[in-house]
Each structure stands twice: as C-alpha cells, then as structure tokens.
C-alpha cells in the first residue's frame, strides 16, 4: 500500500494528505449492472452496499462494501 502513496500513475492511489489521485489517461474500470455488479467482466459476490454517483461529467463514482478475507490480515 505504501507504494501507492508515492505513485500518481496508480488509478485510485492515495496521496500523503489522504486525497485520491486518479490517472484518467489510463483505462477506467468498466462497471455493469445486470445480474449483479460486474467490474471488467468479473462478478462481485457478497456485496453489503453499493453507492453509485453520476454527475454531469462523463465519469461515475462507485463505492462497494463487501465481505473479504484479506491476505496477511485475516489469515494470521
């Protein structure tokens, strides 16, 4: 995670002051809603909450809350 704080090339990286840095020159994730939420063709399971915000810009923000088994944290 520390490497993300140093690189502005990582989509969704966090700066030292905690603000998101986005590189819109790179490919954004494609989110589709149909029979569940899919991100770049991968179905996301065990969702607890989904928030979609779409303003007048050509980008939307998506916030997902889901259960996960975090490697290095939950398997100790």
């Amino acid at each position: 995670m520390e490497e993300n704080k140093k690189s502005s090339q990582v989509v969704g990286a966090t700066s030292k002051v905690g603000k998101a840095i986005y590189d819109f020159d790179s490919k954004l994730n494609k989110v589709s809603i149909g029979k569940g939420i899919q991100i770049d063709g991968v179905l996301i399971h065990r969702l607890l909450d989904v928030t979609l915000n779409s303003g007048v810009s050509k980008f939307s923000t998506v916030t997902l809350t889901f259960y996960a088994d975090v490697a290095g944290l939950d398997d100790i």
Side-chain angles (χ1 to χ4, degrees):
M1 211 44 148
E2 189 64 32
E3 64 274 4
N4 286 352
K5 292 182 180 181
K6 297 176 185 174
S7 172
S8 63
Q9 299 302 311
V10 178
V11 174
T14 305
S15 69
K16 290 182 182 179
V17 292
K19 294 183 180 179
I21 300 170
Y22 297 99
D23 178 9
F24 287 115
D25 292 331
S26 66
K27 176 184 168 266
L28 293 177
N29 297 99
K30 187 63 125 182
V31 176
S32 59
I33 304 168
K35 295 180 180 178
I37 300 283
Q38 292 187 2
I39 301 174
D40 293 332
V42 177
L43 184 63
I44 307 300
H45 298 282
R46 296 176 184 85
L47 289 171
L48 298 173
D49 188 39
V50 177
T51 303
L52 299 168
N53 291 309
S54 184
V56 293
S57 70
K58 60 186 245 181
F59 302 109
S60 298
T61 59
V62 180
T63 304
L64 302 175
T65 305
F66 54 90
Y67 287 116
D69 183 8
V70 179
L73 181 64
D74 295 327
D75 55 359
I76 296 176

